[in-house]
Amino acid sequence: MRLTVFGGTEGVGRELVAQAIAAGHEVTLLVNGSTPQWTEERLTVIEGDASDFATVAYAVAASHAVVCALRHANGSRDDLLAR
């Protein structure tokens, strides 16, 4: 299965990505800022903003499922959960 994960660089999201890869799934991870130090064969990292429609559309294009593990960051300019 091909998964796209938003918010997969910390906490629950990072564990979700690790378990998905261990289970043999292909994972696309959309990150904004720091790129994870993973070098997994089944992991594709896309750098971009989850509030940008074109970036999100590109990240999910070939996915069978999308998982959102985003957290609200205090002081962020947008609240993605309110959209």
Side-chain angles (χ1 to χ4, degrees):
M1 178 182 285
R2 290 185 301 269
L3 303 171
T4 295
V5 178
F6 300 101
T9 59
E10 296 182 21
V12 172
R14 186 176 181 89
E15 182 62 25
L16 184 137
V17 170
Q19 288 188 28
I21 290 170
H25 301 294
E26 295 178 32
V27 177
T28 298
L29 179 59
L30 179 64
V31 300
N32 184 6
S34 63
T35 302
Q37 299 302 314
W38 291 318
T39 56
E40 300 293 334
E41 183 177 310
R42 290 183 305 273
L43 177 66
T44 301
V45 177
I46 298 172
E47 291 189 44
D49 188 343
S51 67
D52 178 64
F53 179 81
T55 301
V56 171
Y58 176 73
V60 303
S63 295
H64 296 115
V66 177
V67 179
C68 181
L70 291 172
R71 64 178 175 83
H72 178 72
N74 289 332
S76 65
R77 61 178 171 79
D78 291 323
D79 184 351
L80 296 175
L81 301 177
R83 291 184 178 206

